[in-house]
Amino acid sequence: MSRVKPGGGGRPPGPDPVPDTATLLRAIHFAAEKHRDHRRKGATAAPYINHPIAVAEQLATAGHGQDAGLLMAAVLHDVIEDTETSEEELRDAFGERVARIVMEVTDDKSLPRHERKALVVRNIGHKSREARLVKLSDLLSNVGDVIHHPPNWNRERKQEYLEWCNQVFAGLRNVDAGLEAALAARLAEAARGIG
């Protein structure tokens, strides 16, 4: 079994190593460093890293805890979109599979917001199962924050966001029944909360 060298000295040549706990922890550390100056939207302004960790934790709790590569992609899912991290840097540090999953859920920030959001709705159902799992958990975390740590958005913006989430959710069916049920319940709770 090929493993990443201790101390984070880069990946060994050849196929992607089998991720282990140390590699997962290295991914969490990498994400924490990349997001170190980022805060969540809302009154609490929580450290941003709490969100990707929650996305990975939800996947682990839903029965995907043995898939360290998936958990690594979950904790890294926003580093390319929201930081100066490149796809190559991610691939070199964590392997092809993790980089591929992260790229599948990364929005093209060069596009206008409405166009980016429309592309997610149109394309999410065609992504890999792993990417759809990460996106499902990402939505679950984000909708939870809209409910419990609301961003400083007006009612119309919150409704627009929830409508977009429902559209994306339509492309995420038959991926994980437990996560889907949790997201459906959370979306219903959010809709009631903003009336």
Side-chain angles (χ1 to χ4, degrees):
M1 172 165 52
S2 175
R3 293 189 185 261
V4 173
K5 297 176 200 168
R11 288 189 339 95
D16 283 355
V18 175
D20 59 9
T21 303
T23 310
L24 175 59
L25 291 170
R26 191 166 51 83
I28 294 168
H29 184 252
F30 182 94
E33 283 296 313
K34 293 293 185 172
H35 291 297
R36 73 176 166 263
D37 296 325
H38 301 166
R39 309 300 280 179
R40 292 293 278 169
K41 296 172 184 157
T44 62
Y48 191 86
I49 191 61
N50 294 358
H51 166 66
I53 290 172
V55 172
E57 181 183 10
Q58 289 168 165
L59 288 168
T61 302
H64 304 284
Q66 298 304 309
D67 188 344
L70 178 67
L71 299 180
M72 290 166 53
V75 82
L76 295 164
H77 80 272
D78 279 332
V79 296
I80 291 178
E81 187 173 316
D82 294 340
T83 77
E84 296 298 317
T85 307
S86 71
E87 179 180 0
E88 180 180 25
E89 180 182 4
L90 205 60
R91 186 180 304 107
D92 288 348
F94 302 106
E96 180 62 38
R97 178 177 180 237
V98 171
R100 176 186 49 79
I101 297 167
V102 171
M103 290 308 298
E104 283 187 272
V105 296
T106 296
D107 287 357
D108 180 350
K109 288 279 189 118
S110 71
L111 299 173
R113 185 174 72 84
H114 71 280
E115 192 174 331
R116 285 194 325 263
K117 298 300 183 187
L119 282 171
V120 172
V121 171
R122 185 169 44 243
N123 296 329
I124 195 63
H126 304 289
K127 304 288 184 178
S128 69
R129 181 172 188 274
E130 297 104 327
R132 289 181 291 141
L133 280 165
V134 170
K135 191 59 160 182
L136 184 59
S137 189
D138 181 34
L139 287 180
L140 184 59
S141 176
N142 284 335
V143 173
D145 279 353
V146 168
I147 297 167
H148 302 292
H149 310 286
N152 301 319
W153 295 342
N154 63 30
R155 183 177 176 209
E156 181 180 312
R157 174 69 178 94
K158 288 177 187 175
Q159 287 174 324
E160 175 186 309
Y161 179 72
L162 293 177
E163 176 56 35
W164 176 80
C165 287
N166 276 297
Q167 292 172 4
V168 174
F169 187 27
L172 296 172
R173 304 297 180 166
N174 303 314
V175 174
D176 182 290
L179 289 172
E180 290 169 39
L183 180 56
R186 200 165 277 176
L187 283 166
E189 179 185 356
R192 286 191 304 274
I194 64 170

